Amino acid sequence: ITDEVLMTMASYENICKYIHLPVQSGNSRVLELMNRTYDRDWYIDRVNSIRRILPECAISSDVITGFCSETEIEHQDTLSIMNFAQYSMSYMFAYSERPGTLAAKKYPDDIPTEIKKRRLAEVIALQNQLSLEGNKKDIGKVFNVLIEGDSKKSTQEWKGRNSQNKMIVFPKSGNYTQGDYVYVKVSDANSATLFAHII
């Protein structure tokens, strides 16, 4: 995710302002054990570049809790990097050993299940908070949205995503149909969805 890639994204209206940048862990020692090719400082530098070059870009992530030998302090490093990156959403999992992987061959799965689950619950709670806070900042904003189809809950509403890959639900009005682009203004939000109306 070089600066050149980010500047290219910024130059083209038809490239979404959304990047999935998996962190897995916020701690460099754990990342090395995971056989990742980056460390905490590199990751923070990339997030800073995204914010500088693409200020409206949303970032999502993957997070694993309870990796082999992860300490409580190292878990706190993951929570702190989530707070730093302000992810719009994350895919979050407790570590489970997979046969044949490097980790399974090299390291004992030594974190008790109840600790993995508690750490995962903390990660999920923080992500829900970050998602809600981020979505609330979009209230009052206008987005160009591709109508994908009926919302899950009502055939009286459309659903679609904005350039930040956020789901927006809005009442049907006018002669629009699936596949059309519409401008919508956000009036409310929860941690998963923006609620809007066509303008």
Side-chain angles (χ1 to χ4, degrees):
I1 192 77
T2 63
D3 285 7
E4 184 184 7
V5 168
L6 297 174
M7 286 187 277
T8 302
M9 289 177 68
S11 300
Y12 291 89
E13 187 64 31
N14 64 330
I15 300 177
C16 285
K17 305 303 183 267
Y18 168 74
I19 294 171
H20 185 66
L21 194 68
V23 71
Q24 310 293 3
S25 169
N27 179 268
S28 293
R29 184 191 75 87
V30 175
L31 289 170
E32 188 173 358
L33 291 181
M34 288 177 167
N35 206 30
R36 308 304 292 187
T37 57
Y38 55 89
D39 62 12
R40 180 183 176 92
D41 289 342
W42 179 92
Y43 192 93
I44 287 171
D45 176 71
R46 291 298 83 210
V47 171
N48 282 332
S49 285
I50 293 168
R51 296 285 179 243
R52 178 172 44 84
I53 298 168
L54 284 167
E56 293 190 6
C57 189
I59 304 172
S60 64
S61 194
D62 297 344
V63 180
I64 296 173
T65 64
F67 190 78
C68 312
S69 78
E70 180 188 64
T71 67
E72 199 59 38
I73 289 171
E74 290 166 341
H75 167 62
Q76 293 299 320
D77 284 345
T78 296
L79 296 176
S80 75
I81 211 162
M82 291 175 68
N83 269 314
F84 170 76
Q86 297 283 302
Y87 300 125
S88 60
M89 61 89 65
S90 292
Y91 299 99
M92 301 158 285
F93 309 94
Y95 173 72
S96 59
E97 199 170 60
R98 293 192 181 164
T101 61
L102 189 68
K105 289 175 189 168
K106 287 179 74 174
Y107 312 118
D109 184 7
D110 58 356
I111 306 298
T113 300
E114 62 270 18
I115 292 179
K116 289 181 186 178
K117 286 184 175 176
R118 192 254 307 153
R119 290 177 183 172
L120 179 60
E122 291 175 6
V123 163
I124 291 170
L126 176 56
Q127 184 56 62
N128 286 342
Q129 176 192 326
L130 294 173
S131 297
L132 179 60
E133 288 170 0
N135 285 350
K136 292 276 189 189
K137 289 177 183 172
D138 287 336
I139 294 174
K141 291 183 181 177
V142 173
F143 294 106
N144 192 14
V145 175
L146 175 69
I147 297 175
E148 294 180 13
D150 292 343
S151 80
K152 283 183 182 175
K153 294 184 179 175
S154 171
T155 57
Q156 304 305 305
E157 293 178 322
W158 293 120
K159 68 175 181 183
R161 291 179 188 271
N162 68 5
S163 186
Q164 288 77 23
N165 199 35
K166 292 184 179 184
M167 180 59 69
I168 305 183
V169 172
F170 45 96
K172 292 182 178 179
S173 65
N175 294 318
Y176 300 107
T177 187
Q178 187 173 340
D180 287 344
Y181 278 96
V182 290
Y183 284 97
V184 301
K185 186 171 185 177
V186 178
S187 54
D188 201 3
N190 62 29
S191 62
T193 309
L194 302 177
F195 302 96
H197 58 273
I198 296 173
I199 58 168

